Amino acid sequence: MTSDPTPGPTPDLPPDAVPPTETVRPDWAGIDRLPTLDLLRLMNAEDRTVPAAVAGELPRIAAVVDAVAARMARGGRLVYAGAGTAGRLGVLDAAECPPTFGTDPALVVGLIAGGRTAVTAAVEGAEDRTDLAEADVAALGLTPADTLVGVSASGRTPYPLAAIHAARTAGALTVGLACNRGSALVAAAELGIEVEVGPEVLAGSTRLKAGTAQKLVLNLLSTAVMVRLGRTYGNLMVDLRATNAKLRERARRIVAEATGAERDAVGRALGATDGRTKDAILVLLADVDAPTAAQLLKASDGRLRDALERARHQGQLPA
């Protein structure tokens, strides 16, 4: 496992300083006069700088992934806390984990200032309510096995800052994700990720480059953690929940890709395992029945590669 990096830097911006994500670029003052195509080209050119900024933080992101995965392997949870766009992105990432990776909805949690209402409507005053953050974190009953990631473009939003402090008090691992250097958020957390995106084309509208950067980092974080936890097989989503027609067809394709089996055999295996993709793959590759596949996976902590190796050692697969 990659060792935890040192805590983030002490904030180097004075309290009344305007963070880079909020600054105004004078050379963009005339964007309202630009032809539409030129306006879009400008925005698109700025958007292209975001992946490079994220790339610069990959070593810190990797350290966070390893630290989170180690805790989740012990039964811990991953919690995001943010306000506005940052909060919505955390809620979105958390909501997508169950259908993609078959996780319990309580395993990855998104906290947003203002609660559920703030997911679809602005509740601007909520981001200043540190008491709400403390109450939201307390309701989760965090433990040292859990991780809380505070997300804020400026790195100084009160809600995620208070959530970080409350989580540290509870003994959970804390991570700060900000889009400015020297942020208070990262200084307050044990681990830090600072993706410096600079000014927005529309000054202060951090749903733009900062929001894109946060989405990219959360994609990296949750996906890599789930890969480390054995929630995938190669690049296949073998733990997906096939809850609609599109996902059921995707499950059939995944099983066929993993096993090379014909469609009828795939259908029978999925039928025998109540649609559980990972179990169906094991049924076909190890030539076992559904209960045996379930037992092999349980004994392997749900890791399909380990279950296949276990079946091989038991003589159910050729060497």
PDB file of all heavy atoms in Angstrom, residues 27-56:
ATOM      1  N   ASP A  27      -8.717  39.886 -19.635  1.00  0.00           N
ATOM      2  CA  ASP A  27      -8.746  39.583 -21.067  1.00  0.00           C
ATOM      3  C   ASP A  27      -9.991  38.823 -21.488  1.00  0.00           C
ATOM      4  O   ASP A  27     -10.229  38.633 -22.685  1.00  0.00           O
ATOM      5  CB  ASP A  27      -7.486  38.820 -21.479  1.00  0.00           C
ATOM      6  CG  ASP A  27      -7.215  37.607 -20.627  1.00  0.00           C
ATOM      7  OD1 ASP A  27      -7.483  37.657 -19.408  1.00  0.00           O
ATOM      8  OD2 ASP A  27      -6.726  36.591 -21.168  1.00  0.00           O
ATOM      9  N   TRP A  28     -10.779  38.388 -20.513  1.00  0.00           N
ATOM     10  CA  TRP A  28     -12.031  37.715 -20.852  1.00  0.00           C
ATOM     11  C   TRP A  28     -13.247  38.619 -20.618  1.00  0.00           C
ATOM     12  O   TRP A  28     -14.388  38.159 -20.647  1.00  0.00           O
ATOM     13  CB  TRP A  28     -12.201  36.438 -20.006  1.00  0.00           C
ATOM     14  CG  TRP A  28     -11.220  35.359 -20.349  1.00  0.00           C
ATOM     15  CD1 TRP A  28     -10.502  35.227 -21.497  1.00  0.00           C
ATOM     16  CD2 TRP A  28     -10.856  34.248 -19.523  1.00  0.00           C
ATOM     17  NE1 TRP A  28      -9.707  34.110 -21.449  1.00  0.00           N
ATOM     18  CE2 TRP A  28      -9.906  33.482 -20.247  1.00  0.00           C
ATOM     19  CE3 TRP A  28     -11.237  33.820 -18.259  1.00  0.00           C
ATOM     20  CZ2 TRP A  28      -9.334  32.324 -19.751  1.00  0.00           C
ATOM     21  CZ3 TRP A  28     -10.668  32.659 -17.754  1.00  0.00           C
ATOM     22  CH2 TRP A  28      -9.727  31.907 -18.488  1.00  0.00           C
ATOM     23  N   ALA A  29     -13.015  39.878 -20.382  1.00  0.00           N
ATOM     24  CA  ALA A  29     -14.115  40.784 -20.031  1.00  0.00           C
ATOM     25  C   ALA A  29     -15.123  40.956 -21.167  1.00  0.00           C
ATOM     26  O   ALA A  29     -16.265  41.356 -20.933  1.00  0.00           O
ATOM     27  CB  ALA A  29     -13.558  42.151 -19.621  1.00  0.00           C
ATOM     28  N   GLY A  30     -14.724  40.655 -22.387  1.00  0.00           N
ATOM     29  CA  GLY A  30     -15.631  40.858 -23.518  1.00  0.00           C
ATOM     30  C   GLY A  30     -16.261  39.594 -24.048  1.00  0.00           C
ATOM     31  O   GLY A  30     -16.699  39.566 -25.210  1.00  0.00           O
ATOM     32  N   ILE A  31     -16.369  38.553 -23.221  1.00  0.00           N
ATOM     33  CA  ILE A  31     -16.897  37.292 -23.760  1.00  0.00           C
ATOM     34  C   ILE A  31     -18.345  37.417 -24.222  1.00  0.00           C
ATOM     35  O   ILE A  31     -18.792  36.679 -25.099  1.00  0.00           O
ATOM     36  CB  ILE A  31     -16.781  36.129 -22.753  1.00  0.00           C
ATOM     37  CG1 ILE A  31     -17.627  36.380 -21.501  1.00  0.00           C
ATOM     38  CG2 ILE A  31     -15.339  35.868 -22.376  1.00  0.00           C
ATOM     39  CD1 ILE A  31     -17.765  35.155 -20.613  1.00  0.00           C
ATOM     40  N   ASP A  32     -19.086  38.377 -23.648  1.00  0.00           N
ATOM     41  CA  ASP A  32     -20.478  38.540 -24.061  1.00  0.00           C
ATOM     42  C   ASP A  32     -20.597  39.127 -25.463  1.00  0.00           C
ATOM     43  O   ASP A  32     -21.682  39.120 -26.050  1.00  0.00           O
ATOM     44  CB  ASP A  32     -21.239  39.410 -23.059  1.00  0.00           C
ATOM     45  CG  ASP A  32     -20.581  40.759 -22.821  1.00  0.00           C
ATOM     46  OD1 ASP A  32     -19.348  40.858 -22.959  1.00  0.00           O
ATOM     47  OD2 ASP A  32     -21.312  41.716 -22.497  1.00  0.00           O
ATOM     48  N   ARG A  33     -19.490  39.622 -26.014  1.00  0.00           N
ATOM     49  CA  ARG A  33     -19.495  40.188 -27.367  1.00  0.00           C
ATOM     50  C   ARG A  33     -18.966  39.204 -28.395  1.00  0.00           C
ATOM     51  O   ARG A  33     -19.001  39.484 -29.595  1.00  0.00           O
ATOM     52  CB  ARG A  33     -18.640  41.456 -27.405  1.00  0.00           C
ATOM     53  CG  ARG A  33     -19.154  42.576 -26.506  1.00  0.00           C
ATOM     54  CD  ARG A  33     -18.243  43.772 -26.584  1.00  0.00           C
ATOM     55  NE  ARG A  33     -18.721  44.857 -25.744  1.00  0.00           N
ATOM     56  CZ  ARG A  33     -18.102  46.027 -25.615  1.00  0.00           C
ATOM     57  NH1 ARG A  33     -16.970  46.238 -26.255  1.00  0.00           N
ATOM     58  NH2 ARG A  33     -18.600  46.966 -24.825  1.00  0.00           N
ATOM     59  N   LEU A  34     -18.475  38.077 -27.940  1.00  0.00           N
ATOM     60  CA  LEU A  34     -17.909  37.098 -28.861  1.00  0.00           C
ATOM     61  C   LEU A  34     -19.007  36.391 -29.653  1.00  0.00           C
ATOM     62  O   LEU A  34     -20.102  36.131 -29.120  1.00  0.00           O
ATOM     63  CB  LEU A  34     -17.116  36.042 -28.092  1.00  0.00           C
ATOM     64  CG  LEU A  34     -15.806  36.451 -27.433  1.00  0.00           C
ATOM     65  CD1 LEU A  34     -15.234  35.280 -26.636  1.00  0.00           C
ATOM     66  CD2 LEU A  34     -14.803  36.920 -28.476  1.00  0.00           C
ATOM     67  N   PRO A  35     -18.712  36.017 -30.907  1.00  0.00           N
ATOM     68  CA  PRO A  35     -19.620  35.120 -31.621  1.00  0.00           C
ATOM     69  C   PRO A  35     -19.737  33.813 -30.834  1.00  0.00           C
ATOM     70  O   PRO A  35     -18.796  33.408 -30.140  1.00  0.00           O
ATOM     71  CB  PRO A  35     -18.918  34.899 -32.964  1.00  0.00           C
ATOM     72  CG  PRO A  35     -18.016  36.079 -33.122  1.00  0.00           C
ATOM     73  CD  PRO A  35     -17.568  36.439 -31.730  1.00  0.00           C
ATOM     74  N   THR A  36     -20.859  33.168 -30.949  1.00  0.00           N
ATOM     75  CA  THR A  36     -21.115  31.973 -30.148  1.00  0.00           C
ATOM     76  C   THR A  36     -20.019  30.924 -30.317  1.00  0.00           C
ATOM     77  O   THR A  36     -19.538  30.339 -29.338  1.00  0.00           O
ATOM     78  CB  THR A  36     -22.475  31.366 -30.517  1.00  0.00           C
ATOM     79  OG1 THR A  36     -23.496  32.331 -30.259  1.00  0.00           O
ATOM     80  CG2 THR A  36     -22.752  30.115 -29.699  1.00  0.00           C
ATOM     81  N   LEU A  37     -19.594  30.678 -31.557  1.00  0.00           N
ATOM     82  CA  LEU A  37     -18.576  29.655 -31.776  1.00  0.00           C
ATOM     83  C   LEU A  37     -17.268  30.036 -31.107  1.00  0.00           C
ATOM     84  O   LEU A  37     -16.589  29.185 -30.516  1.00  0.00           O
ATOM     85  CB  LEU A  37     -18.362  29.435 -33.280  1.00  0.00           C
ATOM     86  CG  LEU A  37     -17.377  28.322 -33.664  1.00  0.00           C
ATOM     87  CD1 LEU A  37     -17.779  26.998 -33.033  1.00  0.00           C
ATOM     88  CD2 LEU A  37     -17.300  28.194 -35.185  1.00  0.00           C
ATOM     89  N   ASP A  38     -16.893  31.307 -31.135  1.00  0.00           N
ATOM     90  CA  ASP A  38     -15.660  31.741 -30.481  1.00  0.00           C
ATOM     91  C   ASP A  38     -15.771  31.607 -28.961  1.00  0.00           C
ATOM     92  O   ASP A  38     -14.795  31.249 -28.285  1.00  0.00           O
ATOM     93  CB  ASP A  38     -15.340  33.184 -30.853  1.00  0.00           C
ATOM     94  CG  ASP A  38     -14.890  33.327 -32.302  1.00  0.00           C
ATOM     95  OD1 ASP A  38     -14.550  32.292 -32.915  1.00  0.00           O
ATOM     96  OD2 ASP A  38     -14.881  34.456 -32.816  1.00  0.00           O
ATOM     97  N   LEU A  39     -16.940  31.908 -28.411  1.00  0.00           N
ATOM     98  CA  LEU A  39     -17.163  31.738 -26.982  1.00  0.00           C
ATOM     99  C   LEU A  39     -16.992  30.275 -26.585  1.00  0.00           C
ATOM    100  O   LEU A  39     -16.321  29.953 -25.598  1.00  0.00           O
ATOM    101  CB  LEU A  39     -18.566  32.221 -26.601  1.00  0.00           C
ATOM    102  CG  LEU A  39     -19.044  31.916 -25.179  1.00  0.00           C
ATOM    103  CD1 LEU A  39     -18.134  32.580 -24.149  1.00  0.00           C
ATOM    104  CD2 LEU A  39     -20.487  32.358 -24.989  1.00  0.00           C
ATOM    105  N   LEU A  40     -17.570  29.395 -27.374  1.00  0.00           N
ATOM    106  CA  LEU A  40     -17.463  27.968 -27.077  1.00  0.00           C
ATOM    107  C   LEU A  40     -16.029  27.479 -27.231  1.00  0.00           C
ATOM    108  O   LEU A  40     -15.569  26.631 -26.451  1.00  0.00           O
ATOM    109  CB  LEU A  40     -18.401  27.167 -27.977  1.00  0.00           C
ATOM    110  CG  LEU A  40     -19.894  27.444 -27.805  1.00  0.00           C
ATOM    111  CD1 LEU A  40     -20.701  26.615 -28.797  1.00  0.00           C
ATOM    112  CD2 LEU A  40     -20.339  27.151 -26.385  1.00  0.00           C
ATOM    113  N   ARG A  41     -15.311  28.003 -28.216  1.00  0.00           N
ATOM    114  CA  ARG A  41     -13.904  27.619 -28.382  1.00  0.00           C
ATOM    115  C   ARG A  41     -13.080  28.040 -27.175  1.00  0.00           C
ATOM    116  O   ARG A  41     -12.200  27.290 -26.721  1.00  0.00           O
ATOM    117  CB  ARG A  41     -13.344  28.243 -29.654  1.00  0.00           C
ATOM    118  CG  ARG A  41     -13.774  27.514 -30.928  1.00  0.00           C
ATOM    119  CD  ARG A  41     -13.362  28.266 -32.169  1.00  0.00           C
ATOM    120  NE  ARG A  41     -13.644  27.496 -33.383  1.00  0.00           N
ATOM    121  CZ  ARG A  41     -13.823  28.028 -34.581  1.00  0.00           C
ATOM    122  NH1 ARG A  41     -13.748  29.352 -34.744  1.00  0.00           N
ATOM    123  NH2 ARG A  41     -14.077  27.257 -35.623  1.00  0.00           N
ATOM    124  N   LEU A  42     -13.340  29.234 -26.659  1.00  0.00           N
ATOM    125  CA  LEU A  42     -12.627  29.706 -25.485  1.00  0.00           C
ATOM    126  C   LEU A  42     -12.900  28.799 -24.290  1.00  0.00           C
ATOM    127  O   LEU A  42     -11.973  28.371 -23.583  1.00  0.00           O
ATOM    128  CB  LEU A  42     -13.046  31.139 -25.157  1.00  0.00           C
ATOM    129  CG  LEU A  42     -12.560  31.708 -23.816  1.00  0.00           C
ATOM    130  CD1 LEU A  42     -11.040  31.736 -23.762  1.00  0.00           C
ATOM    131  CD2 LEU A  42     -13.145  33.087 -23.577  1.00  0.00           C
ATOM    132  N   MET A  43     -14.167  28.495 -24.053  1.00  0.00           N
ATOM    133  CA  MET A  43     -14.520  27.637 -22.929  1.00  0.00           C
ATOM    134  C   MET A  43     -13.915  26.248 -23.088  1.00  0.00           C
ATOM    135  O   MET A  43     -13.387  25.662 -22.135  1.00  0.00           O
ATOM    136  CB  MET A  43     -16.037  27.550 -22.790  1.00  0.00           C
ATOM    137  CG  MET A  43     -16.700  28.868 -22.418  1.00  0.00           C
ATOM    138  SD  MET A  43     -18.497  28.724 -22.261  1.00  0.00           S
ATOM    139  CE  MET A  43     -18.624  27.654 -20.828  1.00  0.00           C
ATOM    140  N   ASN A  44     -13.978  25.729 -24.309  1.00  0.00           N
ATOM    141  CA  ASN A  44     -13.444  24.395 -24.564  1.00  0.00           C
ATOM    142  C   ASN A  44     -11.935  24.352 -24.372  1.00  0.00           C
ATOM    143  O   ASN A  44     -11.385  23.373 -23.834  1.00  0.00           O
ATOM    144  CB  ASN A  44     -13.822  23.951 -25.979  1.00  0.00           C
ATOM    145  CG  ASN A  44     -13.355  22.552 -26.310  1.00  0.00           C
ATOM    146  OD1 ASN A  44     -12.528  22.368 -27.191  1.00  0.00           O
ATOM    147  ND2 ASN A  44     -13.862  21.555 -25.605  1.00  0.00           N
ATOM    148  N   ALA A  45     -11.246  25.409 -24.788  1.00  0.00           N
ATOM    149  CA  ALA A  45      -9.803  25.474 -24.606  1.00  0.00           C
ATOM    150  C   ALA A  45      -9.450  25.466 -23.117  1.00  0.00           C
ATOM    151  O   ALA A  45      -8.483  24.818 -22.694  1.00  0.00           O
ATOM    152  CB  ALA A  45      -9.239  26.717 -25.281  1.00  0.00           C
ATOM    153  N   GLU A  46     -10.223  26.187 -22.307  1.00  0.00           N
ATOM    154  CA  GLU A  46      -9.979  26.192 -20.870  1.00  0.00           C
ATOM    155  C   GLU A  46     -10.288  24.827 -20.256  1.00  0.00           C
ATOM    156  O   GLU A  46      -9.578  24.354 -19.377  1.00  0.00           O
ATOM    157  CB  GLU A  46     -10.805  27.284 -20.201  1.00  0.00           C
ATOM    158  CG  GLU A  46     -10.253  28.678 -20.396  1.00  0.00           C
ATOM    159  CD  GLU A  46      -8.844  28.804 -19.832  1.00  0.00           C
ATOM    160  OE1 GLU A  46      -8.655  28.556 -18.618  1.00  0.00           O
ATOM    161  OE2 GLU A  46      -7.929  29.145 -20.600  1.00  0.00           O
ATOM    162  N   ASP A  47     -11.357  24.195 -20.731  1.00  0.00           N
ATOM    163  CA  ASP A  47     -11.706  22.865 -20.221  1.00  0.00           C
ATOM    164  C   ASP A  47     -10.579  21.869 -20.454  1.00  0.00           C
ATOM    165  O   ASP A  47     -10.347  20.969 -19.637  1.00  0.00           O
ATOM    166  CB  ASP A  47     -12.980  22.343 -20.897  1.00  0.00           C
ATOM    167  CG  ASP A  47     -14.241  23.032 -20.407  1.00  0.00           C
ATOM    168  OD1 ASP A  47     -14.198  23.657 -19.332  1.00  0.00           O
ATOM    169  OD2 ASP A  47     -15.267  22.953 -21.104  1.00  0.00           O
ATOM    170  N   ARG A  48      -9.855  22.026 -21.554  1.00  0.00           N
ATOM    171  CA  ARG A  48      -8.795  21.070 -21.883  1.00  0.00           C
ATOM    172  C   ARG A  48      -7.612  21.164 -20.923  1.00  0.00           C
ATOM    173  O   ARG A  48      -6.769  20.264 -20.893  1.00  0.00           O
ATOM    174  CB  ARG A  48      -8.323  21.273 -23.332  1.00  0.00           C
ATOM    175  CG  ARG A  48      -9.341  20.859 -24.374  1.00  0.00           C
ATOM    176  CD  ARG A  48      -8.665  20.613 -25.727  1.00  0.00           C
ATOM    177  NE  ARG A  48      -8.048  21.814 -26.257  1.00  0.00           N
ATOM    178  CZ  ARG A  48      -8.672  22.710 -27.015  1.00  0.00           C
ATOM    179  NH1 ARG A  48      -9.952  22.543 -27.328  1.00  0.00           N
ATOM    180  NH2 ARG A  48      -8.025  23.768 -27.480  1.00  0.00           N
ATOM    181  N   THR A  49      -7.542  22.241 -20.150  1.00  0.00           N
ATOM    182  CA  THR A  49      -6.449  22.357 -19.173  1.00  0.00           C
ATOM    183  C   THR A  49      -6.714  21.539 -17.915  1.00  0.00           C
ATOM    184  O   THR A  49      -5.793  21.289 -17.130  1.00  0.00           O
ATOM    185  CB  THR A  49      -6.235  23.823 -18.769  1.00  0.00           C
ATOM    186  OG1 THR A  49      -7.361  24.297 -18.004  1.00  0.00           O
ATOM    187  CG2 THR A  49      -6.039  24.715 -19.989  1.00  0.00           C
ATOM    188  N   VAL A  50      -7.960  21.125 -17.708  1.00  0.00           N
ATOM    189  CA  VAL A  50      -8.318  20.463 -16.449  1.00  0.00           C
ATOM    190  C   VAL A  50      -7.683  19.083 -16.304  1.00  0.00           C
ATOM    191  O   VAL A  50      -7.109  18.775 -15.251  1.00  0.00           O
ATOM    192  CB  VAL A  50      -9.851  20.393 -16.287  1.00  0.00           C
ATOM    193  CG1 VAL A  50     -10.223  19.627 -15.020  1.00  0.00           C
ATOM    194  CG2 VAL A  50     -10.438  21.804 -16.236  1.00  0.00           C
ATOM    195  N   PRO A  51      -7.744  18.202 -17.310  1.00  0.00           N
ATOM    196  CA  PRO A  51      -7.109  16.893 -17.124  1.00  0.00           C
ATOM    197  C   PRO A  51      -5.625  16.975 -16.795  1.00  0.00           C
ATOM    198  O   PRO A  51      -5.112  16.169 -16.006  1.00  0.00           O
ATOM    199  CB  PRO A  51      -7.352  16.197 -18.471  1.00  0.00           C
ATOM    200  CG  PRO A  51      -8.578  16.850 -19.017  1.00  0.00           C
ATOM    201  CD  PRO A  51      -8.471  18.284 -18.589  1.00  0.00           C
ATOM    202  N   ALA A  52      -4.935  17.961 -17.369  1.00  0.00           N
ATOM    203  CA  ALA A  52      -3.512  18.108 -17.057  1.00  0.00           C
ATOM    204  C   ALA A  52      -3.322  18.521 -15.601  1.00  0.00           C
ATOM    205  O   ALA A  52      -2.385  18.059 -14.928  1.00  0.00           O
ATOM    206  CB  ALA A  52      -2.879  19.147 -17.989  1.00  0.00           C
ATOM    207  N   ALA A  53      -4.206  19.387 -15.112  1.00  0.00           N
ATOM    208  CA  ALA A  53      -4.121  19.787 -13.710  1.00  0.00           C
ATOM    209  C   ALA A  53      -4.383  18.598 -12.791  1.00  0.00           C
ATOM    210  O   ALA A  53      -3.724  18.436 -11.760  1.00  0.00           O
ATOM    211  CB  ALA A  53      -5.117  20.917 -13.426  1.00  0.00           C
ATOM    212  N   VAL A  54      -5.332  17.751 -13.154  1.00  0.00           N
ATOM    213  CA  VAL A  54      -5.610  16.538 -12.374  1.00  0.00           C
ATOM    214  C   VAL A  54      -4.419  15.592 -12.418  1.00  0.00           C
ATOM    215  O   VAL A  54      -4.039  14.992 -11.403  1.00  0.00           O
ATOM    216  CB  VAL A  54      -6.879  15.837 -12.899  1.00  0.00           C
ATOM    217  CG1 VAL A  54      -7.065  14.475 -12.231  1.00  0.00           C
ATOM    218  CG2 VAL A  54      -8.118  16.708 -12.668  1.00  0.00           C
ATOM    219  N   ALA A  55      -3.792  15.481 -13.578  1.00  0.00           N
ATOM    220  CA  ALA A  55      -2.644  14.579 -13.727  1.00  0.00           C
ATOM    221  C   ALA A  55      -1.530  14.939 -12.747  1.00  0.00           C
ATOM    222  O   ALA A  55      -0.835  14.050 -12.227  1.00  0.00           O
ATOM    223  CB  ALA A  55      -2.122  14.615 -15.158  1.00  0.00           C
ATOM    224  N   GLY A  56      -1.367  16.219 -12.483  1.00  0.00           N
ATOM    225  CA  GLY A  56      -0.337  16.641 -11.557  1.00  0.00           C
ATOM    226  C   GLY A  56      -0.571  16.178 -10.131  1.00  0.00           C
ATOM    227  O   GLY A  56       0.363  16.146  -9.318  1.00  0.00           O
TER     228      GLY A  56
END
